[in-house]
Amino acid sequence: MTVCKSCLTEQHKRLQEIAHGQERHIEELQDQLESTKEELRKVSRDLESLQSDIRATLETI
């Protein structure tokens, strides 16, 4: 079975385009992950602050 060189070249170009698209998608997901991690850190700090406030309130009761 023989395959023409131009067909292989086209397939190669298409695979490169797909790979590049996947790389961009991965970068976007990594950015989203970092944003989510930062949000979770903020929520964790807020929760710790609320717990501290609750403890202080309970001590005064």
Short mmCIF file of all heavy atoms in Angstrom, two decimals:
data_model
loop_
_atom_site.label_atom_id
_atom_site.label_comp_id
_atom_site.label_asym_id
_atom_site.label_seq_id
_atom_site.Cartn_x
_atom_site.Cartn_y
_atom_site.Cartn_z
N MET A 1 0.84 -1.17 0.00
CA MET A 1 0.00 0.00 0.00
C MET A 1 0.90 1.25 0.00
O MET A 1 1.74 1.42 0.86
CB MET A 1 -0.88 -0.01 1.26
CG MET A 1 -1.73 1.17 1.43
SD MET A 1 -2.72 0.89 2.90
CE MET A 1 -3.51 2.43 3.02
N THR A 2 0.69 2.09 -0.92
CA THR A 2 1.49 3.31 -1.00
C THR A 2 0.62 4.50 -0.64
O THR A 2 -0.57 4.56 -0.95
CB THR A 2 2.07 3.52 -2.42
OG1 THR A 2 0.99 3.61 -3.34
CG2 THR A 2 2.99 2.37 -2.81
N VAL A 3 1.24 5.45 0.04
CA VAL A 3 0.55 6.66 0.44
C VAL A 3 1.32 7.83 -0.14
O VAL A 3 2.54 7.89 -0.05
CB VAL A 3 0.50 6.78 1.98
CG1 VAL A 3 -0.22 8.04 2.42
CG2 VAL A 3 -0.17 5.56 2.59
N CYS A 4 0.59 8.74 -0.74
CA CYS A 4 1.29 9.86 -1.36
C CYS A 4 1.88 10.79 -0.30
O CYS A 4 1.36 10.92 0.81
CB CYS A 4 0.35 10.64 -2.29
SG CYS A 4 -0.97 11.51 -1.46
N LYS A 5 2.99 11.40 -0.64
CA LYS A 5 3.70 12.26 0.30
C LYS A 5 2.85 13.46 0.71
O LYS A 5 2.85 13.85 1.88
CB LYS A 5 5.01 12.73 -0.33
CG LYS A 5 5.86 13.51 0.62
CD LYS A 5 7.20 13.86 0.02
CE LYS A 5 8.02 14.66 1.02
NZ LYS A 5 9.32 15.00 0.51
N SER A 6 2.10 14.02 -0.21
CA SER A 6 1.28 15.19 0.14
C SER A 6 0.17 14.81 1.13
O SER A 6 -0.19 15.62 1.99
CB SER A 6 0.69 15.85 -1.10
OG SER A 6 -0.21 14.97 -1.75
N CYS A 7 -0.34 13.59 1.03
CA CYS A 7 -1.36 13.13 1.98
C CYS A 7 -0.77 13.04 3.38
O CYS A 7 -1.38 13.46 4.36
CB CYS A 7 -1.93 11.78 1.58
SG CYS A 7 -2.87 11.81 0.04
N LEU A 8 0.44 12.48 3.45
CA LEU A 8 1.11 12.36 4.74
C LEU A 8 1.44 13.74 5.30
O LEU A 8 1.31 13.99 6.51
CB LEU A 8 2.39 11.53 4.62
CG LEU A 8 2.18 10.03 4.40
CD1 LEU A 8 3.52 9.36 4.18
CD2 LEU A 8 1.45 9.40 5.56
N THR A 9 1.85 14.65 4.43
CA THR A 9 2.17 16.00 4.86
C THR A 9 0.92 16.68 5.42
O THR A 9 0.98 17.34 6.46
CB THR A 9 2.76 16.82 3.69
OG1 THR A 9 3.93 16.16 3.23
CG2 THR A 9 3.11 18.22 4.12
N GLU A 10 -0.20 16.52 4.75
CA GLU A 10 -1.46 17.10 5.23
C GLU A 10 -1.86 16.50 6.58
O GLU A 10 -2.30 17.22 7.47
CB GLU A 10 -2.58 16.90 4.20
CG GLU A 10 -2.54 17.89 3.06
CD GLU A 10 -2.62 19.33 3.54
OE1 GLU A 10 -3.51 19.66 4.36
OE2 GLU A 10 -1.78 20.15 3.11
N GLN A 11 -1.72 15.19 6.71
CA GLN A 11 -2.06 14.54 7.97
C GLN A 11 -1.15 15.06 9.09
O GLN A 11 -1.60 15.32 10.20
CB GLN A 11 -1.93 13.02 7.86
CG GLN A 11 -3.06 12.38 7.10
CD GLN A 11 -2.92 10.87 7.04
OE1 GLN A 11 -1.82 10.33 7.15
NE2 GLN A 11 -4.04 10.19 6.83
N HIS A 12 0.13 15.21 8.77
CA HIS A 12 1.09 15.70 9.75
C HIS A 12 0.72 17.13 10.19
O HIS A 12 0.72 17.43 11.38
CB HIS A 12 2.50 15.67 9.16
CG HIS A 12 3.55 16.14 10.11
ND1 HIS A 12 3.94 15.43 11.21
CD2 HIS A 12 4.30 17.28 10.12
CE1 HIS A 12 4.86 16.09 11.85
NE2 HIS A 12 5.10 17.23 11.21
N LYS A 13 0.38 17.98 9.24
CA LYS A 13 -0.02 19.34 9.56
C LYS A 13 -1.25 19.35 10.46
O LYS A 13 -1.33 20.10 11.43
CB LYS A 13 -0.33 20.14 8.28
CG LYS A 13 0.89 20.58 7.52
CD LYS A 13 0.45 21.38 6.29
CE LYS A 13 1.61 21.73 5.40
NZ LYS A 13 1.16 22.45 4.19
N ARG A 14 -2.21 18.52 10.12
CA ARG A 14 -3.45 18.44 10.90
C ARG A 14 -3.17 17.97 12.32
O ARG A 14 -3.70 18.51 13.29
CB ARG A 14 -4.45 17.51 10.20
CG ARG A 14 -5.78 17.41 10.90
CD ARG A 14 -6.55 18.72 10.81
NE ARG A 14 -7.75 18.61 11.61
CZ ARG A 14 -8.11 19.46 12.56
NH1 ARG A 14 -7.39 20.51 12.81
NH2 ARG A 14 -9.20 19.27 13.25
N LEU A 15 -2.32 16.96 12.45
CA LEU A 15 -1.97 16.46 13.78
C LEU A 15 -1.24 17.53 14.59
O LEU A 15 -1.46 17.67 15.80
CB LEU A 15 -1.12 15.20 13.68
CG LEU A 15 -1.86 13.94 13.23
CD1 LEU A 15 -0.88 12.81 13.00
CD2 LEU A 15 -2.92 13.53 14.24
N GLN A 16 -0.40 18.32 13.94
CA GLN A 16 0.29 19.41 14.63
C GLN A 16 -0.71 20.46 15.11
O GLN A 16 -0.59 20.98 16.22
CB GLN A 16 1.33 20.07 13.71
CG GLN A 16 2.59 19.26 13.55
CD GLN A 16 3.59 19.95 12.64
OE1 GLN A 16 3.23 20.53 11.62
NE2 GLN A 16 4.87 19.87 13.01
N GLU A 17 -1.71 20.77 14.28
CA GLU A 17 -2.74 21.73 14.67
C GLU A 17 -3.53 21.22 15.87
O GLU A 17 -3.81 21.97 16.81
CB GLU A 17 -3.70 21.99 13.50
CG GLU A 17 -3.08 22.76 12.35
CD GLU A 17 -3.98 22.80 11.13
OE1 GLU A 17 -5.12 22.28 11.18
OE2 GLU A 17 -3.54 23.36 10.10
N ILE A 18 -3.87 19.94 15.84
CA ILE A 18 -4.61 19.34 16.96
C ILE A 18 -3.75 19.39 18.22
O ILE A 18 -4.23 19.77 19.29
CB ILE A 18 -5.01 17.89 16.63
CG1 ILE A 18 -6.08 17.89 15.52
CG2 ILE A 18 -5.51 17.16 17.88
CD1 ILE A 18 -6.38 16.52 14.94
N ALA A 19 -2.48 19.04 18.10
CA ALA A 19 -1.58 19.05 19.26
C ALA A 19 -1.45 20.46 19.83
O ALA A 19 -1.48 20.65 21.05
CB ALA A 19 -0.21 18.49 18.87
N HIS A 20 -1.34 21.44 18.96
CA HIS A 20 -1.22 22.83 19.41
C HIS A 20 -2.49 23.25 20.14
O HIS A 20 -2.44 23.91 21.19
CB HIS A 20 -0.95 23.75 18.23
CG HIS A 20 -0.73 25.17 18.61
ND1 HIS A 20 0.35 25.58 19.36
CD2 HIS A 20 -1.46 26.29 18.37
CE1 HIS A 20 0.27 26.88 19.56
NE2 HIS A 20 -0.82 27.34 18.98
N GLY A 21 -3.63 22.87 19.62
CA GLY A 21 -4.91 23.17 20.27
C GLY A 21 -5.00 22.52 21.64
O GLY A 21 -5.48 23.13 22.60
N GLN A 22 -4.52 21.29 21.73
CA GLN A 22 -4.53 20.59 23.02
C GLN A 22 -3.60 21.27 24.02
O GLN A 22 -3.92 21.38 25.20
CB GLN A 22 -4.13 19.12 22.83
CG GLN A 22 -5.16 18.30 22.07
CD GLN A 22 -6.47 18.21 22.80
OE1 GLN A 22 -6.52 18.04 24.01
NE2 GLN A 22 -7.57 18.33 22.07
N GLU A 23 -2.46 21.73 23.55
CA GLU A 23 -1.52 22.44 24.43
C GLU A 23 -2.15 23.71 24.98
O GLU A 23 -2.03 24.01 26.17
CB GLU A 23 -0.23 22.79 23.67
CG GLU A 23 0.65 21.60 23.38
CD GLU A 23 1.81 21.91 22.45
OE1 GLU A 23 1.89 23.07 21.95
OE2 GLU A 23 2.63 21.02 22.22
N ARG A 24 -2.85 24.45 24.12
CA ARG A 24 -3.53 25.67 24.58
C ARG A 24 -4.61 25.34 25.61
O ARG A 24 -4.77 26.03 26.60
CB ARG A 24 -4.14 26.43 23.41
CG ARG A 24 -3.15 27.27 22.64
CD ARG A 24 -3.86 28.07 21.61
NE ARG A 24 -4.67 27.15 20.81
CZ ARG A 24 -4.98 27.28 19.55
NH1 ARG A 24 -4.60 28.34 18.89
NH2 ARG A 24 -5.69 26.40 18.91
N HIS A 25 -5.34 24.27 25.33
CA HIS A 25 -6.40 23.85 26.25
C HIS A 25 -5.81 23.46 27.61
O HIS A 25 -6.35 23.83 28.66
CB HIS A 25 -7.19 22.68 25.65
CG HIS A 25 -8.37 22.26 26.45
ND1 HIS A 25 -9.45 23.08 26.68
CD2 HIS A 25 -8.64 21.11 27.10
CE1 HIS A 25 -10.33 22.45 27.43
NE2 HIS A 25 -9.86 21.25 27.71
N ILE A 26 -4.71 22.75 27.60
CA ILE A 26 -4.03 22.36 28.84
C ILE A 26 -3.57 23.60 29.60
O ILE A 26 -3.74 23.69 30.83
CB ILE A 26 -2.86 21.40 28.55
CG1 ILE A 26 -3.40 20.04 28.12
CG2 ILE A 26 -1.93 21.27 29.76
CD1 ILE A 26 -2.35 19.10 27.57
N GLU A 27 -3.02 24.57 28.89
CA GLU A 27 -2.59 25.81 29.55
C GLU A 27 -3.77 26.53 30.18
O GLU A 27 -3.66 27.04 31.31
CB GLU A 27 -1.89 26.73 28.55
CG GLU A 27 -0.53 26.23 28.12
CD GLU A 27 0.06 27.01 26.96
OE1 GLU A 27 -0.61 27.95 26.45
OE2 GLU A 27 1.18 26.69 26.55
N GLU A 28 -4.91 26.56 29.50
CA GLU A 28 -6.10 27.20 30.05
C GLU A 28 -6.57 26.47 31.30
O GLU A 28 -6.94 27.10 32.30
CB GLU A 28 -7.22 27.22 29.01
CG GLU A 28 -6.97 28.17 27.85
CD GLU A 28 -7.97 28.00 26.72
OE1 GLU A 28 -8.94 27.22 26.86
OE2 GLU A 28 -7.79 28.66 25.67
N LEU A 29 -6.54 25.14 31.25
CA LEU A 29 -6.94 24.35 32.42
C LEU A 29 -5.99 24.56 33.59
O LEU A 29 -6.43 24.64 34.74
CB LEU A 29 -7.02 22.86 32.06
CG LEU A 29 -8.16 22.46 31.14
CD1 LEU A 29 -8.02 20.99 30.73
CD2 LEU A 29 -9.51 22.69 31.81
N GLN A 30 -4.71 24.68 33.30
CA GLN A 30 -3.74 24.95 34.36
C GLN A 30 -3.99 26.31 34.99
O GLN A 30 -3.92 26.45 36.22
CB GLN A 30 -2.30 24.87 33.82
CG GLN A 30 -1.87 23.45 33.53
CD GLN A 30 -0.52 23.37 32.82
OE1 GLN A 30 -0.14 24.27 32.08
NE2 GLN A 30 0.19 22.28 33.04
N ASP A 31 -4.32 27.30 34.18
CA ASP A 31 -4.65 28.63 34.70
C ASP A 31 -5.90 28.57 35.59
O ASP A 31 -5.94 29.18 36.66
CB ASP A 31 -4.87 29.63 33.57
CG ASP A 31 -3.58 30.00 32.85
OD1 ASP A 31 -2.49 29.73 33.38
OD2 ASP A 31 -3.68 30.56 31.73
N GLN A 32 -6.90 27.83 35.13
CA GLN A 32 -8.12 27.68 35.91
C GLN A 32 -7.83 26.98 37.23
O GLN A 32 -8.38 27.34 38.28
CB GLN A 32 -9.17 26.90 35.13
CG GLN A 32 -9.78 27.65 33.98
CD GLN A 32 -10.73 26.79 33.16
OE1 GLN A 32 -11.03 25.65 33.51
NE2 GLN A 32 -11.22 27.33 32.06
N LEU A 33 -6.97 25.98 37.19
CA LEU A 33 -6.61 25.25 38.40
C LEU A 33 -5.92 26.17 39.40
O LEU A 33 -6.23 26.14 40.60
CB LEU A 33 -5.70 24.06 38.05
CG LEU A 33 -5.20 23.22 39.22
CD1 LEU A 33 -6.35 22.61 40.00
CD2 LEU A 33 -4.25 22.14 38.71
N GLU A 34 -5.01 26.99 38.93
CA GLU A 34 -4.32 27.93 39.82
C GLU A 34 -5.31 28.92 40.43
O GLU A 34 -5.23 29.23 41.62
CB GLU A 34 -3.21 28.67 39.07
CG GLU A 34 -1.99 27.82 38.80
CD GLU A 34 -1.41 27.18 40.05
OE1 GLU A 34 -1.24 27.88 41.07
OE2 GLU A 34 -1.13 25.97 40.01
N SER A 35 -6.25 29.41 39.63
CA SER A 35 -7.27 30.33 40.14
C SER A 35 -8.13 29.64 41.20
O SER A 35 -8.44 30.24 42.24
CB SER A 35 -8.16 30.83 39.01
OG SER A 35 -7.43 31.62 38.11
N THR A 36 -8.49 28.40 40.94
CA THR A 36 -9.31 27.64 41.88
C THR A 36 -8.55 27.41 43.18
O THR A 36 -9.12 27.54 44.28
CB THR A 36 -9.74 26.30 41.26
OG1 THR A 36 -10.49 26.56 40.08
CG2 THR A 36 -10.58 25.49 42.23
N LYS A 37 -7.26 27.10 43.07
CA LYS A 37 -6.45 26.90 44.28
C LYS A 37 -6.41 28.18 45.11
O LYS A 37 -6.54 28.12 46.34
CB LYS A 37 -5.02 26.50 43.90
CG LYS A 37 -4.87 25.08 43.44
CD LYS A 37 -3.40 24.85 43.09
CE LYS A 37 -3.11 23.45 42.64
NZ LYS A 37 -1.67 23.30 42.31
N GLU A 38 -6.23 29.31 44.46
CA GLU A 38 -6.19 30.58 45.18
C GLU A 38 -7.53 30.87 45.84
O GLU A 38 -7.58 31.33 46.99
CB GLU A 38 -5.79 31.73 44.24
CG GLU A 38 -5.62 33.05 44.94
CD GLU A 38 -4.63 33.02 46.10
OE1 GLU A 38 -3.56 32.39 45.97
OE2 GLU A 38 -4.95 33.61 47.15
N GLU A 39 -8.61 30.61 45.14
CA GLU A 39 -9.94 30.80 45.74
C GLU A 39 -10.13 29.90 46.95
O GLU A 39 -10.68 30.32 47.97
CB GLU A 39 -11.04 30.52 44.70
CG GLU A 39 -11.27 31.66 43.74
CD GLU A 39 -11.79 32.90 44.42
OE1 GLU A 39 -12.71 32.81 45.27
OE2 GLU A 39 -11.26 33.99 44.13
N LEU A 40 -9.67 28.65 46.86
CA LEU A 40 -9.80 27.73 47.99
C LEU A 40 -8.96 28.21 49.18
O LEU A 40 -9.39 28.09 50.33
CB LEU A 40 -9.37 26.32 47.58
CG LEU A 40 -10.38 25.56 46.73
CD1 LEU A 40 -9.78 24.26 46.23
CD2 LEU A 40 -11.65 25.29 47.51
N ARG A 41 -7.78 28.75 48.90
CA ARG A 41 -6.96 29.29 49.99
C ARG A 41 -7.69 30.46 50.68
O ARG A 41 -7.70 30.57 51.91
CB ARG A 41 -5.59 29.74 49.47
CG ARG A 41 -4.64 28.58 49.20
CD ARG A 41 -3.23 29.07 48.89
NE ARG A 41 -3.09 29.56 47.54
CZ ARG A 41 -2.75 28.84 46.50
NH1 ARG A 41 -2.52 27.54 46.63
NH2 ARG A 41 -2.63 29.38 45.30
N LYS A 42 -8.31 31.31 49.86
CA LYS A 42 -9.06 32.45 50.42
C LYS A 42 -10.23 31.96 51.26
O LYS A 42 -10.45 32.45 52.37
CB LYS A 42 -9.56 33.34 49.29
CG LYS A 42 -10.30 34.57 49.76
CD LYS A 42 -10.81 35.39 48.59
CE LYS A 42 -11.55 36.62 49.04
NZ LYS A 42 -12.77 36.36 49.77
N VAL A 43 -10.98 31.00 50.75
CA VAL A 43 -12.12 30.47 51.49
C VAL A 43 -11.65 29.82 52.79
O VAL A 43 -12.27 29.99 53.85
CB VAL A 43 -12.91 29.45 50.62
CG1 VAL A 43 -13.91 28.67 51.45
CG2 VAL A 43 -13.61 30.18 49.48
N SER A 44 -10.53 29.13 52.74
CA SER A 44 -9.98 28.50 53.93
C SER A 44 -9.61 29.55 54.98
O SER A 44 -9.91 29.39 56.17
CB SER A 44 -8.76 27.67 53.55
OG SER A 44 -8.21 27.06 54.69
N ARG A 45 -8.98 30.65 54.55
CA ARG A 45 -8.64 31.73 55.48
C ARG A 45 -9.91 32.35 56.08
O ARG A 45 -9.98 32.61 57.28
CB ARG A 45 -7.81 32.81 54.77
CG ARG A 45 -6.38 32.39 54.49
CD ARG A 45 -5.55 33.57 54.01
NE ARG A 45 -6.06 34.19 52.79
CZ ARG A 45 -5.68 33.89 51.56
NH1 ARG A 45 -4.78 32.95 51.36
NH2 ARG A 45 -6.21 34.52 50.53
N ASP A 46 -10.91 32.56 55.23
CA ASP A 46 -12.18 33.13 55.71
C ASP A 46 -12.83 32.20 56.74
O ASP A 46 -13.35 32.66 57.76
CB ASP A 46 -13.14 33.38 54.55
CG ASP A 46 -12.70 34.53 53.64
OD1 ASP A 46 -11.76 35.27 54.02
OD2 ASP A 46 -13.27 34.66 52.54
N LEU A 47 -12.79 30.91 56.46
CA LEU A 47 -13.38 29.93 57.38
C LEU A 47 -12.64 29.93 58.72
O LEU A 47 -13.28 29.91 59.78
CB LEU A 47 -13.35 28.54 56.75
CG LEU A 47 -13.94 27.40 57.57
CD1 LEU A 47 -15.39 27.68 57.93
CD2 LEU A 47 -13.81 26.09 56.81
N GLU A 48 -11.32 29.98 58.68
CA GLU A 48 -10.55 30.04 59.91
C GLU A 48 -10.90 31.29 60.72
O GLU A 48 -11.03 31.23 61.94
CB GLU A 48 -9.05 30.02 59.60
CG GLU A 48 -8.55 28.67 59.12
CD GLU A 48 -7.10 28.71 58.66
OE1 GLU A 48 -6.43 29.76 58.81
OE2 GLU A 48 -6.63 27.69 58.13
N SER A 49 -11.07 32.40 60.03
CA SER A 49 -11.44 33.65 60.70
C SER A 49 -12.83 33.53 61.34
O SER A 49 -13.03 33.95 62.49
CB SER A 49 -11.42 34.80 59.70
OG SER A 49 -11.83 35.99 60.31
N LEU A 50 -13.76 32.94 60.62
CA LEU A 50 -15.11 32.75 61.18
C LEU A 50 -15.08 31.83 62.39
O LEU A 50 -15.77 32.08 63.39
CB LEU A 50 -16.04 32.17 60.11
CG LEU A 50 -16.52 33.15 59.04
CD1 LEU A 50 -17.27 32.40 57.95
CD2 LEU A 50 -17.40 34.23 59.65
N GLN A 51 -14.29 30.77 62.31
CA GLN A 51 -14.19 29.85 63.44
C GLN A 51 -13.63 30.56 64.66
O GLN A 51 -14.11 30.36 65.78
CB GLN A 51 -13.32 28.64 63.07
CG GLN A 51 -13.99 27.69 62.11
CD GLN A 51 -13.05 26.60 61.63
OE1 GLN A 51 -11.84 26.80 61.54
NE2 GLN A 51 -13.61 25.44 61.31
N SER A 52 -12.65 31.40 64.44
CA SER A 52 -12.06 32.17 65.53
C SER A 52 -13.09 33.12 66.13
O SER A 52 -13.20 33.23 67.36
CB SER A 52 -10.85 32.95 65.01
OG SER A 52 -10.29 33.73 66.02
N ASP A 53 -13.85 33.78 65.28
CA ASP A 53 -14.91 34.68 65.76
C ASP A 53 -15.96 33.93 66.56
O ASP A 53 -16.42 34.40 67.60
CB ASP A 53 -15.58 35.40 64.59
CG ASP A 53 -14.68 36.42 63.90
OD1 ASP A 53 -13.59 36.71 64.46
OD2 ASP A 53 -15.05 36.89 62.81
N ILE A 54 -16.32 32.76 66.11
CA ILE A 54 -17.33 31.95 66.81
C ILE A 54 -16.79 31.53 68.18
O ILE A 54 -17.51 31.62 69.19
CB ILE A 54 -17.74 30.72 65.97
CG1 ILE A 54 -18.55 31.18 64.75
CG2 ILE A 54 -18.53 29.72 66.81
CD1 ILE A 54 -18.80 30.10 63.72
N ARG A 55 -15.54 31.10 68.22
CA ARG A 55 -14.94 30.70 69.51
C ARG A 55 -14.94 31.89 70.48
O ARG A 55 -15.28 31.74 71.66
CB ARG A 55 -13.52 30.18 69.30
CG ARG A 55 -13.46 28.79 68.77
CD ARG A 55 -12.04 28.24 68.79
NE ARG A 55 -11.92 27.19 67.81
CZ ARG A 55 -11.38 27.31 66.60
NH1 ARG A 55 -10.85 28.46 66.21
NH2 ARG A 55 -11.34 26.30 65.78
N ALA A 56 -14.55 33.05 69.97
CA ALA A 56 -14.51 34.24 70.83
C ALA A 56 -15.91 34.60 71.33
O ALA A 56 -16.09 34.95 72.50
CB ALA A 56 -13.91 35.42 70.06
N THR A 57 -16.90 34.47 70.47
CA THR A 57 -18.27 34.76 70.87
C THR A 57 -18.75 33.77 71.91
O THR A 57 -19.38 34.15 72.91
CB THR A 57 -19.21 34.71 69.63
OG1 THR A 57 -18.75 35.68 68.68
CG2 THR A 57 -20.65 35.00 70.01
N LEU A 58 -18.44 32.51 71.73
CA LEU A 58 -18.87 31.48 72.67
C LEU A 58 -18.21 31.66 74.03
O LEU A 58 -18.81 31.39 75.08
CB LEU A 58 -18.58 30.07 72.13
CG LEU A 58 -19.44 29.63 70.96
CD1 LEU A 58 -18.96 28.30 70.42
CD2 LEU A 58 -20.91 29.53 71.37
N GLU A 59 -16.98 32.13 74.05
CA GLU A 59 -16.28 32.37 75.32
C GLU A 59 -16.91 33.49 76.11
O GLU A 59 -16.85 33.50 77.35
CB GLU A 59 -14.80 32.68 75.07
CG GLU A 59 -14.01 31.48 74.62
CD GLU A 59 -12.57 31.82 74.24
OE1 GLU A 59 -12.17 32.98 74.37
OE2 GLU A 59 -11.85 30.89 73.80
N THR A 60 -17.55 34.43 75.42
CA THR A 60 -18.17 35.56 76.13
C THR A 60 -19.57 35.24 76.62
O THR A 60 -20.14 36.02 77.38
CB THR A 60 -18.24 36.81 75.23
OG1 THR A 60 -19.02 36.53 74.07
CG2 THR A 60 -16.84 37.25 74.81
N ILE A 61 -20.10 34.12 76.15
CA ILE A 61 -21.48 33.76 76.56
C ILE A 61 -21.46 33.07 77.92
O ILE A 61 -20.67 32.31 78.27
CB ILE A 61 -22.16 32.85 75.51
CG1 ILE A 61 -22.36 33.62 74.23
CG2 ILE A 61 -23.47 32.31 76.03
CD1 ILE A 61 -22.98 32.82 73.11
#
